[in-house]
């Protein structure tokens, strides 16, 4: 039998490793260096990291001491990881539907997404071991919106996603 | 550039300190010795702590009743985190060594939990520390207790480990008429700041009792007992107070051990529904924002992200190779050496980018045309140098 903390180590290694690889490739795309395959690697590694992220979250919840979200670090981990997943999903969708993306905006968003995942992992290390290289960030402050604000934001997100899907279908039909 | 990168990476690697322990601790838990989170099994990976560790218990311990065990640590040289971990154990075999293995029940540990391994951060001015466990004794018999500690400190990054002398306890059955706390009474171990604590003692064979309390190591103060209840004053700051009861009845008078009551700041709380709503709202918002942005001149040639790139197909699609050869341009008329040279102004003619010529054997395997455009000339130069060198030798 494996305990949840052991599985959490495995799944976080998987997640962080894939996101890191993706981040390096996005960096190469951003600076215009490196082999041509960097675009494929960046997006496939991002997809792999996305697949491994739910496993990391589930095992992390099971291995965390205490009940529920009783620490601001855990709350910030949740917000950061979900934001990063949103960015990564958007990137992959753009790449799949729009083909290879030129310019620096696309890799920049990829690097931001990867950075947020790495920050999430760093906060996890601080939660467990009490030490962190990113000590200068106010990680014990949680910016919590009222529920109605979250509902509005979620509605905006759904609208944007819906418009994008509609536009994509229209483009395909043409 | 590469040299700078190597230097930066080397500096980063060399700047990391070597440590064999978990500086932030592992948290309170039920643990066997040596398993508090650091790999202390290898003798070469740890050192003996300079601290003196002592275990103290009550002289008379009754079977099935509450008692306290104190672990006193003198002069621990701890690390900058001031973290100190203490184990309460029944032997030093590192297996089946928790108090529960002998039938002890941990009612309260020094941090208010029910663990045999606890960690505390010592204050900067503290040179000694005392850890107190409240236990319910097992059945009558001879029992051993000991304590071990581990901590970081000025030991070249190695964890330090210390062990107390084992003490023996002779636990006997209590007299039938012994005034005592009932078996189901469990003293509260923690409370929040600013709130008084009212306790109703559950007692057996007791005609009257008094209660006193004290701050840690302070002078005891007697409390008023009314209808079997007493109230401990509220705590202003985080810390602990202790209380005990003097029980009188038909049997010999008894005094309970000092029970610690730890005052803690209220735990961090958040409305989880709002937090989850916000998390999913951010997910959808960021996904929508990225999806709806104007595509950065995506070429739209790849509905799927390719698993790998085929250099051959890329070469075939390269205009330099695939485009039909242009019709040969008519040669200019031969120059008439006798005719006077016409003086004409030079004209600016657009020149295509000067890509290196592709040799007969083709571009190197695995290269793309983009790579060839950038590094082809370098490759040709290298081949030329090698050919020249080979010719010279042969």
């Amino acid at each position: 039998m494996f305990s949840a903390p052991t599985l959490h180590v495995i799944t976080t290694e998987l997640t962080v490793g894939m996101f890191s690889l993706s981040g390096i490739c996005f960096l190469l795309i951003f600076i215009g260096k490196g082999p041509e395959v960097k675009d494929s690697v960046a997006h496939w590694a991002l997809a792999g990291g996305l697949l491994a992220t739910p496993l990391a979250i589930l095992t992390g919840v099971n291995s965390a001491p205490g009940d529920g979200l009783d620490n601001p670090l855990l709350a910030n981990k949740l917000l950061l990881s979900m934001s990063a997943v949103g960015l990564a999903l958007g990137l992959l969708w753009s790449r799949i539907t729009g083909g290879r993306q030129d310019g620096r905006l696309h890799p920049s968003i990829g690097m931001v997404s990867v950075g947020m995942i790495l920050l999430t992992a760093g906060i996890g290390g601080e939660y467990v071991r009490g030490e962190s290289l990113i000590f200068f960030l106010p990680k014990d402050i949680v910016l919590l919106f009222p529920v109605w604000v979250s509902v509005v934001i979620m509605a905006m997100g759904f609208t944007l996603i819906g418009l994008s899907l509609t536009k994509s279908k229209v483009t395909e039909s043409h | 550039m590469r040299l700078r990168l190597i230097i930066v990476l080397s500096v980063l690697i060399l700047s990391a300190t070597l440590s064999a322990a978990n500086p932030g601790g592992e948290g309170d838990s039920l643990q066997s010795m040596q398993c508090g989170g650091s790999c202390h099994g290898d003798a070469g990976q740890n050192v003996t702590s300079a601290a003196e560790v002592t275990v103290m218990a009550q002289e008379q311990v009754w079977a099935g009743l509450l008692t306290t065990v104190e672990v006193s640590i003198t002069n621990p040289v701890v690390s900058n985190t001031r973290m100190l971990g203490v184990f309460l154990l029944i032997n030093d075999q590192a297996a089946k060594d928790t108090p529960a293995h002998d039938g002890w029940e941990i009612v309260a540990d020094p941090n208010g939990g029910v663990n045999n391994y606890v960690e505390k951060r010592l204050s900067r001015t503290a040179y000694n520390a005392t850890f107190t466990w409240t236990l319910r004794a097992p059945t009558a018999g001879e029992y051993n207790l000991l304590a071990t500690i581990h901590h970081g400190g000025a030991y070249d990054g190695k964890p330090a480990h210390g062990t107390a002398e084992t003490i023996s306890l002779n636990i006997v059955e209590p007299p039938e008429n012994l005034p005592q706390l009932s078996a189901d009474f469990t003293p509260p171990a923690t409370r929040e700041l600013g709130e008084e604590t009212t306790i109703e003692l559950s007692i057996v064979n007791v005609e009257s009792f008094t209660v006193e309390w004290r701050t840690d190591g302070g002078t005891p103060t007697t409390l008023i007992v009314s209808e079997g209840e007493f109230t401990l004053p509220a705590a202003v700051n985080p810390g602990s107070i202790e209380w005990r009861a003097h029980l009188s009845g038909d049997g010999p008078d008894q005094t309970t051990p000092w029970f610690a009551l730890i005052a803690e700041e209220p735990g961090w709380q958040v409305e989880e529904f709002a937090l989850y709503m916000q998390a999913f709202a951010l997910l959808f918002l960021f996904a929508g924002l990225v999806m709806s942005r104007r595509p950065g001149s995506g070429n739209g040639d790849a509905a799927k992200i390719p698993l790998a790139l085929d250099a051959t197909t890329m070469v075939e699609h390269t205009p330099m190779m695939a485009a039909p050869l242009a019709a040969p341009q008519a040669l200019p008329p031969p120059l008439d050496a006798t005719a006077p040279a016409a003086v004409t102004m030079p004209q600016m003619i657009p020149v295509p980018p000067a890509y290196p010529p592709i040799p007969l054997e083709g571009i190197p395997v695995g290269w793309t045309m983009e790579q060839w455009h950038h590094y082809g000339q370098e490759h040709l130069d290298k081949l030329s140098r090698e050919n020249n060198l080979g010719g010279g030798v042969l």
Side-chain angles (χ1 to χ4, degrees):
Chain A
M1 283 293 292
F2 295 103
S3 63
T6 303
L7 290 175
H8 186 56
V9 170
I10 296 170
T11 51
T12 49
E13 296 272 5
L14 206 59
T15 306
V16 171
M18 289 203 193
F19 270 98
S20 300
L21 177 62
S22 175
I24 291 171
C25 291
F26 276 125
L27 177 64
L28 291 177
I29 296 172
F30 183 84
I31 61 178
K33 301 276 187 184
E36 194 69 16
V37 77
K38 58 184 180 278
D39 180 71
S40 293
V41 175
H43 292 91
W44 278 110
L46 194 68
L50 273 177
L51 287 177
T53 300
L55 300 176
I57 293 174
L58 286 176
T59 54
V61 168
N62 288 330
S63 61
D67 297 323
L69 294 162
D70 56 358
N71 192 303
L73 294 178
L74 293 180
N76 278 326
K77 271 172 72 76
L78 178 67
L79 296 178
L80 270 174
S81 58
M82 294 295 262
S83 303
V85 166
L87 288 176
L89 285 173
L91 275 180
L92 283 179
W93 190 87
S94 302
R95 175 63 182 85
I96 290 169
T97 58
R100 184 170 300 177
Q101 304 287 309
D102 295 334
R104 291 186 168 175
L105 180 59
H106 189 81
S108 300
I109 296 172
M111 285 190 289
V112 169
S113 173
V114 170
M116 291 166 92
I117 285 290
L118 296 183
L119 191 58
T120 304
I123 293 176
E126 181 170 359
Y127 177 70
V128 174
R129 292 184 297 277
E131 56 181 354
S132 173
L133 285 174
I134 43 175
F135 54 86
F136 47 85
L137 292 180
K139 298 178 290 295
D140 52 351
I141 297 172
V142 181
L143 297 175
L144 189 63
F145 301 151
V147 174
W148 68 268
V149 174
S150 296
V151 170
V152 171
I153 291 175
M154 198 177 287
M156 288 169 59
F158 282 136
T159 307
L160 289 171
I161 292 171
L163 287 174
S164 304
L165 292 175
T166 309
K167 195 165 68 178
S168 172
K169 282 183 181 175
V170 169
T171 308
E172 281 179 9
S173 65
H174 283 292
Chain B
M1 183 64 186
R2 287 179 183 172
L3 183 62
R4 284 184 203 162
L5 187 64
I6 290 171
I7 290 173
V8 169
L9 289 176
S10 302
V11 169
L12 286 175
I13 291 171
L14 293 174
S15 65
T17 56
L18 298 175
S19 172
N22 292 315
E26 274 287 296
D28 299 355
S29 55
L30 288 167
Q31 294 277 9
S32 290
M33 188 171 72
Q34 312 276 19
C35 296
S38 303
C39 295
H40 295 180
D42 183 353
Q45 296 296 315
N46 65 86
V47 296
T48 301
S49 171
E52 185 179 340
V53 188
T54 311
V55 183
M56 292 170 286
Q58 290 184 301
E59 290 182 4
Q60 182 66 67
V61 181
W62 303 107
L65 299 186
L66 298 177
T67 187
T68 54
V69 175
E70 284 188 358
V71 178
S72 174
I73 300 105
T74 306
N75 198 28
V77 182
V78 294
S79 64
N80 287 333
T81 63
R82 310 291 295 170
M83 181 74 77
L84 176 64
V86 181
F87 300 82
L88 182 66
L89 305 165
I90 59 173
N91 62 50
D92 60 357
Q93 302 302 307
K96 296 185 177 178
D97 57 355
T98 67
H101 284 100
D102 261 356
W104 296 91
E105 178 193 351
I106 297 175
V107 176
D109 67 33
N111 288 333
V114 289
N115 300 299
N116 76 313
Y117 171 72
V118 296
E119 293 170 345
K120 275 190 176 183
R121 291 183 190 273
L122 307 182
S123 67
R124 292 280 167 193
T125 56
Y127 292 100
N128 303 320
T130 301
F131 290 64
T132 304
W133 274 265
T134 301
L135 307 172
R136 190 178 301 283
T139 56
E142 287 283 339
Y143 294 93
N144 292 332
L145 283 176
L146 78 153
T148 64
I149 65 169
H150 66 183
H151 56 85
Y155 303 101
D156 296 331
K158 294 178 180 176
H161 199 213
T163 305
E165 291 281 338
T166 303
I167 63 168
S168 293
L169 298 173
N170 182 25
I171 297 176
V172 297
E173 291 292 339
E176 285 188 2
N177 61 350
L178 183 76
Q180 58 188 267
L181 300 173
S182 62
D184 59 352
F185 174 75
T186 301
T190 58
R191 60 176 176 168
E192 291 189 355
L193 290 178
E195 64 178 28
E196 294 181 335
T197 305
T198 300
I199 298 173
E200 181 181 3
L201 273 190
S202 177
I203 47 184
V204 177
N205 302 325
V206 175
E207 292 176 356
S208 65
F209 68 90
T210 59
V211 177
E212 58 185 358
W213 72 277
R214 68 180 183 183
T215 55
D216 191 12
T219 305
T221 303
T222 303
L223 288 170
I224 299 170
V225 179
S226 173
E227 298 179 353
E229 290 185 348
F230 61 94
T231 300
L232 293 164
V236 179
N237 298 312
S240 68
I241 64 170
E242 297 173 313
W243 65 273
R244 68 179 178 181
H246 300 284
L247 310 175
S248 299
D250 288 340
D253 289 353
Q254 290 294 307
T255 300
T256 66
W258 286 104
F259 298 119
L261 182 59
I262 301 168
E264 299 171 328
E265 292 181 348
W268 187 82
Q269 292 179 330
V270 67
E271 193 181 341
E272 291 194 9
F273 178 73
L275 186 66
Y276 281 113
M277 280 291 290
Q278 180 174 335
F280 280 100
L282 290 174
L283 185 150
F284 292 123
L285 178 69
F286 282 121
L289 284 173
V290 178
M291 288 167 68
S292 63
R293 75 197 158 92
R294 186 171 297 171
S297 62
N299 53 21
D301 61 346
K304 293 179 180 177
I305 305 169
L307 280 170
L309 295 177
D310 186 347
T312 310
T313 57
M314 295 198 68
V315 170
E316 288 172 352
H317 285 98
T318 304
M320 287 184 66
M321 299 294 291
L325 292 175
Q329 295 177 349
L331 293 174
L335 293 174
D336 185 357
T338 57
V343 179
T344 57
M345 293 296 290
Q347 293 181 350
M348 299 298 288
I349 301 171
V351 177
Y355 294 140
I358 298 176
L360 290 176
E361 60 268 26
I363 65 174
V365 176
W367 282 39
T368 64
M369 285 311 298
E370 185 183 357
Q371 285 174 309
W372 180 255
H373 293 165
H374 286 95
Y375 307 110
Q377 188 59 51
E378 189 179 332
H379 179 71
L380 291 175
D381 294 343
K382 184 182 173 187
L383 286 178
S384 174
R385 281 197 303 273
E386 286 175 0
N387 288 336
N388 291 337
L389 186 60
V393 172
L394 293 173

